[in-house]
Amino acid sequence: MPPVIEVRDLHKRYGDKVAVEDVSFTVQEGEVFGILGPNGAGKTTTVECVEGLRRQDRGEIKVLGLDPRHDRAELTRLLGVQLQAGLLPDRLQVAEALELYGSFYPRPADWRELMHGLGLADKAKTRYAKLSGGQKQRLSIALALVGSPRVAILDELTTGLDPQARRDTWELIEGVRARGVTIVLVTHFMEEAERLCDRLALIDAGRVVTVDTPAGLTERARVGQRIQFRPSRPLDDRLLTALPDVSAVTRRGELVIVDGSDNALNAVTTVLARNQIVAERLRVEQASLEDAFVQLTGKRLESGPR
């Protein structure tokens, strides 16, 4: 099937600063496609061009076969958007906002059902100013979906939410995806990208570094295992550094930290057993998406939303 979204050689500058430089990617129907990168990488500018909120300097964009610049009115009826920073009038009630936004579309979703499904039914008469951060995010998702869009673009979805509200929001997005909505998710939060996204475009300094599945990115980065343990008796680090599967051995207090290939655990435990050393408090960490990002870009993202 043809891509739902196709971006080719997208370029956008602001004065002397190039924000997006020849970005290209495609999004397939029904997938959650992530755009991952640090703050200032060009993520929001990219999706604002896709949404038709900004005009690119050059490059081609197609969303459901439409050009966001020339077919914006038609595309608006098919595209739901949750902006990075969106505000409603303080006195506007939840039910009023959903009913109002639903009236903008020819075939809107049942806003009452949407309100119930997103856990906002008991806040129907609550004014926007009185909502918590998590409730405002739920409302922003509801407003993005009230037009029954085929594609939803969600920009920094869980910024500023506490851990529980963040995970509740992830469950909501998984439910939206189950309805068949194609989702573009902009984030700089690794755990969010790993949990929700089928594929990811890594963007850094306005360029696409690579596009792959989270598992594929981790595998391509060739990052192996990290093993932590406390030896039951004194351990000469040279026993471990001599192993072909071990790339580094460091100490943190009593803990020994070993980095190596996917076979490092087997190699390390074999040497320890041979020297009658027990690995106490053993912990093994597999390669993560964050490891892959650092390997591919040389940069580290924040550990959570801003």
Side-chain angles (χ1 to χ4, degrees):
M1 296 180 64
V4 171
I5 298 175
E6 188 170 8
V7 178
R8 292 182 181 176
D9 301 323
L10 175 63
H11 188 95
K12 179 67 178 178
R13 69 165 56 239
Y14 302 106
D16 295 332
K17 178 178 174 55
V18 176
V20 178
E21 188 166 1
D22 299 329
V23 162
S24 299
F25 60 86
T26 60
V27 180
Q28 302 300 318
E29 185 170 6
E31 75 173 335
V32 178
F33 184 86
I35 298 179
L36 176 69
N39 296 332
K43 307 186 302 295
T44 293
T45 295
T46 296
V47 295
E48 286 178 344
C49 290
V50 172
E51 295 157 358
L53 297 179
R54 293 190 187 274
R55 295 178 66 90
Q56 70 267 31
D57 297 322
R58 66 171 183 265
E60 183 181 358
I61 302 173
K62 292 291 184 182
V63 182
L64 299 167
L66 302 172
D67 185 326
R69 295 177 299 176
H70 303 127
D71 307 310
R72 187 174 177 186
E74 185 177 356
L75 182 59
T76 298
R77 294 192 288 269
L78 303 171
L79 185 66
V81 175
Q82 179 255 338
L83 299 174
Q84 184 179 113
L87 294 174
L88 294 173
D90 285 347
R91 296 176 63 85
L92 189 65
Q93 296 178 1
V94 168
E96 291 174 336
L98 286 168
E99 185 176 14
L100 173 64
Y101 273 60
S103 70
F104 299 156
Y105 298 92
R107 290 181 295 278
D110 184 332
W111 62 265
R112 295 175 184 83
E113 181 180 324
L114 201 56
M115 185 171 62
H116 279 273
L118 292 172
L120 291 169
D122 61 342
K123 299 296 179 181
K125 295 186 180 298
T126 302
R127 294 174 178 177
Y128 182 77
K130 298 295 184 180
L131 298 176
S132 68
Q135 291 161 353
K136 288 178 179 178
Q137 287 293 64
R138 288 171 181 262
L139 178 57
S140 70
I141 296 169
L143 295 176
L145 299 176
V146 75
S148 298
R150 289 181 56 189
V151 178
I153 298 178
L154 310 174
D155 192 354
E156 297 289 4
L157 179 70
T158 57
T159 294
L161 299 187
D162 62 64
Q164 185 57 55
R166 190 161 60 240
R167 282 166 175 75
D168 289 345
T169 303
W170 292 347
E171 291 182 7
L172 295 177
I173 297 308
E174 289 168 340
V176 171
R177 187 263 186 86
R179 301 178 196 174
V181 179
T182 301
I183 297 173
V184 176
L185 178 66
V186 180
T187 185
H188 66 277
F189 189 22
M190 290 292 182
E191 187 180 356
E192 184 167 278
E194 284 188 292
R195 171 163 172 172
L196 296 178
C197 296
D198 298 302
R199 290 190 304 133
L200 287 164
L202 299 190
I203 294 185
D204 185 43
R207 291 179 174 270
V208 172
V209 177
T210 190
V211 178
D212 205 338
T213 64
L217 288 170
T218 301
E219 183 177 344
R220 286 169 59 183
R222 298 180 181 178
V223 182
Q225 294 177 330
R226 170 164 290 179
I227 305 157
Q228 297 184 24
F229 65 92
R230 185 178 64 186
S232 61
R233 52 186 293 187
L235 169 66
D236 186 341
D237 290 357
R238 290 175 294 182
L239 290 173
L240 304 180
T241 56
L243 296 172
D245 292 300
V246 171
S247 57
V249 177
T250 56
R251 296 268 184 165
R252 188 169 67 231
E254 296 181 341
L255 286 179
V256 177
I257 303 169
V258 181
D259 291 301
S261 70
D262 290 338
N263 193 50
L265 177 62
N266 182 55
V268 168
T269 54
T270 298
V271 165
L272 294 179
R274 189 182 301 140
N275 289 272
Q276 298 181 330
I277 299 174
V278 176
E280 299 175 349
R281 293 165 55 185
L282 178 66
R283 177 180 174 185
V284 181
E285 299 177 358
Q286 297 297 329
S288 68
L289 183 58
E290 183 172 5
D291 293 324
F293 189 88
V294 172
Q295 184 96 355
L296 291 167
T297 68
K299 297 180 180 178
R300 186 174 296 277
L301 292 186
E302 298 175 27
S303 58
R306 288 176 306 201

